[in-house]
Amino acid sequence: MIHSMTAFARHEVKSDWGNAIWEIRSVNQRFLETYFRLPEQFRGLEPVLRERFRKQLARGKVECSLRFNANPAAKSNLTINEKLAEQLISSAQWINDKAGNQGFNPVDIMRWPGVMEAEEADMDAISAELLKGFDQALNDFIAARASEGANMATLITDRLQAIGEQATKVKAHMPEIIKWQRERIQEKFNDAGIDPDSTRLEQELVLMAQKMDVDEEIDRLFSHVKETQKILKKGGAQGRRLDFMMQEFNREANTLGSKSINTDITAAAVELKVLIEQMREQIQNIE
C-alpha cells in the first residue's frame, strides 16, 4: 500500500497528573524533516521521537507538538526536613533568649527554604505515559496516510486505465489513418499530373510511414501502464519511482503528439497529457 505525505492525527493522554495532547501533521517534502514543539520539561524526549519517526516514515515535512496541562488538584505530599527544622528552632531559641524572650513564630521556621519540601512528580513515569500516547498518535497518523494513499492509488489507477484506452484507440485507428493519408497523397499526385506509380510516390509513402509510425510509442505506453500498476501494488515509499514514470509517460505523449497528422491522434495526445498531469499532481503527495 502506498502512503500519502499529507495527514493529521491527534491523541489525548489523561492521568492523575493531568492531561496531554499530541498532534502530528505533515505535508509533502522531498526528504524526511521533523519539527517538534515540546514543553521545556519534556525536551529530552525529542531524540526518541525523532528516531521513531525515522523508523516509520521515509518522506515528508512532519510537525509534532505536545500540549501538557498539569492537574492543580493533584497536590504532592509535603514532608518536613526535621534535622534542619531542629537546627533552626535551636538557633531561634538562642536568639530569643538573647533578645529577652520576645518569642518567635513557628510558621517562620516552616517558611525557611528547605524546611518544607514537596515531593517531585515522577517525571519518568509521566514520560513513559506520554511516549505510549505518542505511539498511539503515530499509529493513527500512519493510518491516515495509508487511507489517503489508498484514495490516491484509486485515482491513479483510473487514469492509467484511461491512458490504456487512449492508446488502444490510437492503435485501432492507425490503419484507417494511414489509408486516408495515402489516398490524399495519391490525389495530390494526380492533381499535379504525376504518375502515381512513380518512384517519387513510393518515396513519399515511405516518408509518410516513418512519420506516422507510432507503434513504438503505443507499446511503451502500455508498458508504462503495467509498470506503474506494479509499483502501486508493491506499495511502500514509491513516490520517487512513480514520479520517474510520469516523466516516461510525458515523453511518449510528446512524441505521439509530434507525429500526429490527424485530429484524432492530436486529440488523443492532448488527452494523454491531461491524464498524466492529473496523476503527477497526486504523485507529488505520495511518500
Side-chain angles (χ1 to χ4, degrees):
M1 178 182 294
I2 63 172
H3 291 74
S4 169
M5 284 191 285
T6 304
F8 172 80
R10 182 179 185 274
H11 182 74
E12 183 176 4
V13 181
K14 294 182 178 180
S15 187
D16 294 337
W17 43 258
N19 75 305
I21 299 174
W22 288 103
E23 288 188 355
I24 306 174
R25 68 185 74 238
S26 68
V27 294
N28 59 323
Q29 180 72 297
R30 186 176 180 184
F31 304 104
L32 178 62
E33 295 183 6
T34 51
Y35 300 89
F36 298 93
R37 293 196 299 274
L38 306 176
E40 190 62 34
Q41 64 267 41
F42 298 111
R43 284 287 182 184
L45 296 178
E46 185 171 325
V48 179
L49 303 179
R50 194 182 303 277
E51 180 63 17
R52 294 188 183 186
F53 275 131
R54 188 190 65 80
K55 289 181 178 180
Q56 296 284 352
L57 310 176
R59 292 204 300 164
K61 180 181 178 181
V62 183
E63 296 181 358
C64 175
S65 65
L66 172 65
R67 295 202 301 273
F68 181 81
N69 303 303
N71 182 9
K75 296 181 178 179
S76 302
N77 296 326
L78 292 176
T79 60
I80 186 169
N81 188 331
E82 296 181 2
K83 185 175 181 179
L84 178 59
E86 289 176 355
Q87 292 176 355
L88 288 172
I89 292 172
S90 177
S91 298
Q93 288 176 340
W94 182 83
I95 294 174
N96 188 50
D97 293 340
K98 291 295 183 181
N101 295 319
Q102 297 295 323
F104 64 89
N105 188 350
V107 175
D108 293 335
I109 300 297
M110 296 174 65
R111 288 175 178 170
W112 190 268
V115 173
M116 301 302 298
E117 297 177 341
E119 294 180 356
E120 293 185 1
D122 189 347
M123 297 304 293
D124 289 340
I126 295 176
S127 296
E129 289 189 57
L130 291 178
L131 287 175
K132 185 177 180 180
F134 170 80
D135 288 339
Q136 182 59 53
L138 181 57
N139 290 336
D140 294 343
F141 176 71
I142 294 174
R145 284 166 66 110
S147 176
E148 183 65 20
N151 294 333
M152 290 180 176
T154 299
L155 293 173
I156 294 172
T157 299
D158 291 342
R159 270 63 178 183
L160 290 173
Q161 182 178 351
I163 288 175
E165 292 172 354
Q166 290 294 325
T168 300
K169 183 193 299 183
V170 171
K171 191 168 186 176
H173 286 174
M174 283 310 299
E176 179 183 346
I177 294 172
I178 292 175
K179 180 181 178 183
W180 168 77
Q181 186 65 12
R182 182 187 183 94
E183 291 174 352
R184 284 189 58 194
I185 293 176
Q186 288 178 333
E187 289 177 2
K188 290 181 179 180
F189 271 74
N190 289 335
D191 293 341
I194 301 175
D195 182 7
D197 296 328
S198 67
T199 303
R200 178 60 177 167
L201 176 58
E202 293 179 0
Q203 293 174 347
E204 289 294 330
L205 292 175
V206 170
L207 291 174
M208 178 199 72
Q210 292 176 346
K211 182 179 180 181
M212 296 179 61
D213 183 15
V214 294
D215 285 345
E216 185 176 352
E217 286 74 20
I218 297 299
D219 290 342
R220 286 179 179 173
L221 283 173
F222 285 132
S223 176
H224 295 339
V225 168
K226 291 181 180 179
E227 180 63 22
T228 304
Q229 291 172 336
K230 185 187 301 182
I231 293 172
L232 291 175
K233 290 180 181 179
K234 183 178 180 181
Q238 301 290 347
R240 290 189 179 92
R241 183 169 296 181
L242 288 170
D243 187 61
F244 171 77
M245 292 306 302
M246 294 307 102
Q247 298 177 31
E248 295 299 303
F249 272 115
N250 263 320
R251 183 176 293 109
E252 306 309 328
N254 289 334
T255 305
L256 185 65
S258 67
K259 290 185 176 183
S260 174
I261 58 172
N262 179 275
T263 55
D264 292 336
I265 304 298
T266 301
V270 172
E271 182 64 19
L272 286 173
K273 295 283 288 184
V274 172
L275 293 169
I276 295 166
E277 180 60 22
Q278 290 174 347
M279 288 195 298
R280 191 187 66 81
E281 290 176 356
Q282 298 295 327
I283 288 170
Q284 284 183 335
N285 290 323
I286 291 178
E287 184 179 16

